[in-house]
Amino acid sequence: SRTSQAITQGVADVFTKRKLDALTLEELEDVLLRADLGVGAATRITEAVGKARYERDIEPEEVREILAREVERVLAPVAEELVVDDSKTPFIILVVGVNGSGKTTTIAKLTAKWTGEGKTVVLAAGDTFRAAAVEQLKVWGARLGAEVVSGAEGADPAALAFDAIKCAKEQGADILLMDTAGRLQNRAELMAELEKIVRVMKKADAEAPHAVLLVLDATVGQNALQQVDVFERVAGVTGLVMTKLDGTARGGILVAIAETYGLPIHFIGVGESADDLEPFAARDFARAIAGLEETSEAES
Amino acid sequence: MFESLSDKLSGIFDKLTRRGALSEADVNEALREIRRALLEADVALDVVRSFTDKVRDRAVGAGVIKSVTPGQMVVKIVNDVLIETLGEDAEPIDLVAAPPLAIMMVGLQGAGKTTTTAKIAKRLKERHGKRTLMASLDVKRPAAQEQLAVLGRQVEVDTLPIVPGQTPVQIAKRAMEAARLQGYDVVLLDTAGRTHIDEPLMAEMAEIKTSSKPHEILLVADALTGQDAVNLAQNFDERVGLTGIVLTRMDGDGRGGAALSMRYVTGKPIKLIGVGEKMDALDEFSPTRIANRILGMGDIVALVEKA
Ligand SMILES: Nc1nc2c(ncn2[C@@H]2O[C@H](COP(=O)(O)OP(=O)(O)OP(=O)(O)O)[C@@H](O)[C@H]2O)c(=O)[nH]1
Ligand SMILES: Nc1nc2c(ncn2[C@@H]2O[C@H](COP(=O)(O)OP(=O)(O)OP(=O)(O)O)[C@@H](O)[C@H]2O)c(=O)[nH]1
Ligand SMILES: [Mg+2]
Ligand SMILES: [Mg+2]
């Protein structure tokens, strides 16, 4: 993946056969910082790598392996599939996140995945605020063969959520995906609105929402930690999706998030099409951060 | 996390009883904390590095005035260098060119291009009395053209009629021609989001530039961007030659270090900042404000300035 390209370079430059000394470790930490791990996580991982105290000369490839293993150790416990419980009809998923992170597109990708498996999916156009947000979801719904429940622009998204759950139940749909307007987590009134959406959903179905997905943009830096913190508290986030990993951003903040919050990471987005969704794989992600995937590709 | 930078610095400098000039050792210890603070604010690592070098040069040997602590003095120096790097004065959008003057908006997916396009159109109309035409060249994202049309109606600025099936370059040409024929002063070209390593889309963007010869090419970027800020700003600048940057989502609680990174690597001014989703949520860029945010130490700076 492209995630690893610059990093591969960095690691290769740094580790042309040297002892894993203090200076080398510091440079290794830089490599992690450039991937957005943040100071805390980068320091901890570097320390873990350094603990092994290698006295002999060590090949760059080997350093990468060690680095990948340490990153994977953090990510492996949170790489969890999103399980759709068939006994819930519909299985209700609320999708939340800051503006422009990729919520609506991720909903389209999930819809494509599940309709492809023969499930019926209903979409709720819960972004009643942004210009043409409803139209955007409708275009996807029409393309993918999913019904879209929508209200008027400026309508109360909580009321729409209630209606959508009723509608999906009447139709015996398997899955209901609810889109929401983008909101920055420090905007109290918008977070209160989100809290209300969750509250009203429970009136239509006491167990709803069965899953709450927070969509994070891979280019975002340290602020992602605050996003997770507040959205988890307000909306009860059950899992994460990271989008835009097809760019050069490496999404290393997920390592810090995994350390701090331990929330499951379900999927990654790698493009703008409906099929550009992949399950989150800790090993691949970690190896990409360590610059290993690129090497094996180049060799093959 | 950041709020403690001041404490950490005082801790370091408390050990010093003498006043006089700052020694290299004192400054180096302080710079370790400052480096950390800048990284936590999402300033790109290489920018942090050359930035701290600059601060070191300035700080070593600097005299400490009686009424402030050495820690406060260093913070003041850091702040000064920050503001210098960010560009001291606000640079507005340049409207001095023969009409119709084109302004092209570029950036990553979801950065805020379409929203910012409409905000700028509103401002040009209200503050500068410009007759403006907006055109969406985004034929990719579902309902992207419709989004701009809705915003156009909201701010009462014309949008180019949508003709399905045209390429972005064709739409750009049609917009410029319509503007010439109908006497518009400014044409705002809203382009589709693109990752800066997507070669076909980057080539398309360069082609749009060639055909519409924009007077301003503004990179719209998220203020919450992390380390990738340098790569994206550099790549967009290399491909089309930016004239300025607009930072969106400054209403968030991000530290905004990307502002410093992008300004530093491109040398291009930050012209405007987006501070909300509403159409009037667009402000002039203020280096002081962003410096305070990145450092989180406006109070100390004010204190030293008064001393
Ligand atoms: N390259 C890339 N682009 C993506 C990905 N996911 C979404 N996008 C693009 O990002 C932009 C924003 O996506 P949306 O799905 O509209 O984001 P949103 O979170 O719903 O945005 P708001 O509703 O405005 O808050 C669009 O141009 C998408 O095509 C991804 O994985 N990779
Ligand atoms: N809070 C906040 N939201 C903003 C700001 N600017 C834009 N947005 C929101 O960010 C989201 C994406 O904005 P768009 O204008 O659609 O972004 P874009 O760059 O045109 O997206 P694509 O065309 O898909 O690449 C929307 O939800 C906007 O309302 C801002 O300054 N603050
Ligand atoms: Mg959306
Ligand atoms: Mg757009």
Side-chain angles (χ1 to χ4, degrees):
Chain A
S1 93
R2 296 179 192 98
T3 299
S4 56
Q5 199 172 352
I7 269 182
T8 310
Q9 194 53 45
V11 175
D13 288 350
V14 171
F15 299 104
T16 32
K17 270 230 184 163
R18 277 164 44 181
K19 283 206 170 63
L20 208 46
D21 56 13
L23 182 67
T24 316
L25 285 173
E26 198 181 306
E27 287 167 357
L28 175 56
E29 186 185 275
D30 288 355
V31 169
L32 296 176
L33 287 171
R34 284 201 180 88
D36 278 322
L37 270 82
V39 179
T43 309
R44 279 187 294 276
I45 294 203
T46 312
E47 275 168 5
V49 170
K51 260 196 200 119
R53 282 280 144 242
Y54 305 87
E55 288 309 327
R56 66 207 157 83
D57 283 353
I58 170 166
E59 300 281 347
E61 201 70 13
E62 212 178 329
V63 179
R64 277 186 228 143
E65 289 287 350
I66 298 164
L67 179 60
R69 234 176 292 138
E70 289 305 329
V71 175
E72 187 187 346
R73 206 195 300 278
V74 178
L75 292 175
V78 295
E80 268 180 53
E81 208 182 319
L82 173 61
V83 181
V84 176
D85 183 347
D86 291 337
S87 71
K88 320 278 187 217
T89 45
F91 187 80
I92 300 164
I93 304 171
L94 179 66
V95 180
V96 302
V98 300
N99 309 83
S101 64
K103 296 173 292 300
T104 307
T105 310
T106 299
I107 287 175
K109 292 171 180 176
L110 291 169
T111 304
K113 170 181 153 62
W114 286 321
T115 51
E117 292 168 8
K119 296 195 162 83
T120 48
V121 180
V122 170
L123 306 177
D127 183 354
T128 55
F129 178 77
R130 209 207 66 212
V134 175
E135 284 75 4
Q136 185 187 359
L137 194 69
K138 278 184 175 166
V139 170
W140 280 118
R143 270 188 209 168
L144 302 167
E147 184 177 331
V148 179
V149 182
S150 62
E153 205 184 294
D156 176 14
L160 180 93
F162 187 88
D163 292 346
I165 292 176
K166 266 182 46 190
C167 169
K169 281 198 167 160
E170 277 160 20
Q171 297 190 7
D174 297 310
I175 294 166
L176 172 67
L177 276 160
M178 165 100 182
D179 195 10
T180 59
R183 67 198 76 227
L184 293 173
Q185 75 280 2
N186 61 326
R187 297 284 299 275
E189 78 286 10
L190 296 181
M191 295 315 283
E193 180 192 80
L194 185 59
E195 201 166 31
K196 183 180 163 198
I197 292 173
V198 175
R199 206 165 55 230
V200 172
M201 281 180 128
K202 291 196 191 307
K203 286 187 187 154
D205 182 329
E207 289 178 11
H210 300 107
V212 179
L213 300 182
L214 173 63
V215 178
L216 298 171
D217 183 329
T219 54
V220 172
Q222 302 306 303
N223 193 248
L225 283 164
Q226 265 103 288
Q227 293 175 20
V228 173
D229 186 63
V230 179
F231 275 101
E232 188 187 20
R233 263 190 286 121
V234 172
V237 171
T238 61
L240 309 174
V241 178
M242 177 164 270
T243 62
K244 308 186 194 176
L245 278 162
D246 48 322
T248 49
R250 295 141 208 183
I253 191 66
L254 278 184
V255 177
I257 291 171
E259 280 185 335
T260 314
Y261 298 95
L263 278 169
I265 308 171
H266 299 309
F267 295 103
I268 58 168
V270 292
E272 297 184 75
S273 310
D275 56 2
D276 288 326
L277 187 75
E278 293 172 6
F280 177 75
R283 187 156 191 271
D284 293 353
F285 200 88
R287 289 177 75 80
I289 283 186
L292 277 163
E293 196 190 67
E294 200 76 9
T295 317
S296 56
E297 265 170 23
E299 280 167 358
S300 63
Chain B
M1 308 173 222
F2 250 139
E3 282 60 42
S4 59
L5 175 61
S6 155
D7 299 337
K8 283 182 196 156
L9 291 182
S10 338
I12 291 166
F13 288 108
D14 276 352
K15 287 180 278 181
L16 310 172
T17 43
R18 72 194 148 73
R19 292 283 165 158
L22 294 167
S23 78
E24 178 146 15
D26 305 339
V27 172
N28 280 343
E29 209 173 334
L31 282 178
R32 257 198 296 281
E33 295 302 336
I34 287 159
R35 171 182 180 270
R36 191 188 175 102
L38 293 173
L39 285 169
E40 278 169 359
D42 289 321
V43 179
L45 184 61
D46 296 321
V47 178
V48 170
R49 209 158 269 152
S50 43
F51 182 85
T52 45
D53 285 347
K54 232 189 214 172
V55 171
R56 184 179 296 109
D57 289 348
R58 182 90 52 100
V60 173
V64 180
I65 9 174
K66 275 245 164 58
S67 47
V68 301
T69 67
Q72 290 167 337
M73 192 66 206
V74 174
V75 169
K76 168 75 167 78
I77 293 169
V78 172
N79 188 70
D80 289 349
V81 180
L82 259 179
I83 291 172
E84 278 167 35
T85 314
L86 285 165
E88 318 236 350
D89 305 308
E91 265 191 57
I93 290 181
D94 183 15
L95 295 170
V96 189
L101 173 158
I103 301 174
M104 180 176 168
M105 315 290 284
V106 301
L108 297 184
Q109 287 93 346
K113 295 174 294 300
T114 307
T115 310
T116 306
T117 300
K119 287 178 182 176
I120 291 177
K122 181 172 192 280
R123 170 178 287 238
L124 292 181
K125 181 185 74 165
E126 289 172 358
R127 301 202 185 173
H128 304 273
K130 297 286 181 193
R131 268 199 82 206
T132 303
L133 177 69
M134 298 192 287
S136 166
L137 316 188
D138 188 348
V139 298
K140 246 174 85 217
R141 168 171 170 176
Q145 303 198 46
E146 180 58 22
Q147 184 188 357
L148 190 67
V150 170
L151 293 175
R153 288 194 287 276
Q154 264 177 39
V155 298
E156 296 176 342
V157 170
D158 295 341
T159 48
L160 187 74
I162 297 170
V163 176
Q166 284 198 318
T167 65
V169 175
Q170 287 169 335
I171 301 172
K173 283 184 180 152
R174 183 159 59 88
M176 295 314 292
E177 203 160 290
R180 263 188 292 275
L181 293 173
Q182 296 164 41
Y184 284 97
D185 303 312
V186 179
V187 181
L188 281 161
L189 301 172
D190 173 28
T191 66
R194 62 201 79 223
T195 42
H196 51 101
I197 51 168
D198 187 327
E199 187 41 42
L201 283 182
M202 290 304 273
E204 177 203 88
M205 178 179 72
E207 214 187 315
I208 295 168
K209 177 192 173 177
T210 311
S211 69
S212 55
K213 300 187 180 58
H215 187 60
E216 288 264 16
I217 301 178
L218 301 177
L219 173 69
V220 180
D222 189 337
L224 307 176
T225 307
Q227 295 285 317
D228 205 35
V230 278
N231 303 323
L232 83 93
Q234 215 157 20
N235 286 1
F236 273 99
D237 193 29
E238 273 164 21
R239 290 309 284 269
V240 285
L242 303 172
T243 60
I245 298 165
V246 182
L247 274 184
T248 60
R249 295 187 202 122
M250 282 295 291
D251 48 325
D253 55 6
R255 291 287 178 174
L260 186 72
S261 305
M262 293 193 285
R263 165 81 212 209
Y264 187 88
V265 295
T266 63
K268 301 297 158 66
I270 297 159
K271 295 207 159 176
L272 292 162
I273 59 171
V275 290
E277 296 184 73
K278 303 239 170 74
M279 286 299 110
D280 51 6
L282 188 70
D283 282 354
E284 312 292 330
F285 170 70
S286 152
T288 332
R289 228 167 90 189
I290 298 204
N292 283 349
R293 234 164 117 148
I294 292 176
L295 219 53
M297 314 212 73
D299 297 349
I300 291 187
V301 174
L303 183 86
V304 179
E305 254 149 25
K306 265 186 241 136

